[in-house]
Amino acid sequence: MRRGRRWLVAGGVILALLLAGLTLGASQPWTANHFGYALAGRDGLPTYVFFYGRRYHSPQVCAGAGWRQADMASQNIARCYTQADLTQFKAWPLQSVGTMFTLFGAPHDLLRPVGNAGLPAPIIIADGQDCYVVYPLEGGP
């Protein structure tokens, strides 16, 4: 009987360590950027978003990767656009077309401009009060 309990405890410890390792790995900026999901909190949006089999890229965000944030600041890349900016670019109003998974947080709405005149529409994600991150389509139509 004791031998069975030892195996059960050892199995539980191994399972707990495996889950802790997976959670730690999933919460890293590299993993979120690579697989296209958000991390909780401000600056948690990934560099890539996948939508209907297509990849969208934004140099404005990087799921909290410190090296990328310093690079953006040195190049004066705006982190996000306002509603006034999007209106000026004829990318307003927006409609919801889906959601993006957020690790340990609420999902983010994937938005698109209404009536985009036949051009490949970008994915836009709201990230705070009047802060919109734009993800243009990568590759060709």
Side-chain angles (χ1 to χ4, degrees):
M1 193 80 146
R2 287 185 180 178
R3 189 175 220 207
R5 285 186 188 167
R6 286 184 194 155
W7 282 107
L8 186 61
V9 169
V13 168
I14 290 171
L15 182 61
L17 289 173
L18 180 63
L19 288 174
L22 288 173
T23 301
L24 179 64
S27 65
Q28 299 303 308
W30 180 90
T31 311
N33 284 320
H34 182 75
F35 291 106
Y37 61 87
L39 299 176
R42 184 135 172 98
D43 296 327
L45 291 178
T47 297
Y48 298 105
V49 171
F50 299 92
F51 183 68
Y52 279 102
R54 302 301 300 267
R55 186 165 99 160
Y56 296 79
H57 174 254
S58 175
Q60 298 168 284
V61 291
C62 55
W67 62 269
R68 183 67 183 127
Q69 291 171 336
D71 187 40
M72 289 178 350
S74 69
Q75 295 180 24
N76 292 327
I77 297 175
R79 189 186 168 285
C80 57
Y81 296 104
T82 64
Q83 180 180 343
D85 295 332
L86 295 178
T87 301
Q88 181 181 354
F89 302 146
K90 300 194 183 341
W92 194 268
L94 302 173
Q95 64 183 0
S96 179
V97 292
T99 58
M100 178 178 56
F101 173 74
T102 302
L103 187 67
F104 304 123
H108 285 79
D109 283 330
L110 300 178
L111 308 166
R112 280 214 158 140
V114 175
N116 197 26
L119 299 174
I123 295 292
I124 300 172
I125 300 176
D127 191 32
Q129 185 71 20
D130 202 27
C131 176
Y132 297 91
V133 178
V134 177
Y135 289 83
L137 177 65
E138 275 195 340

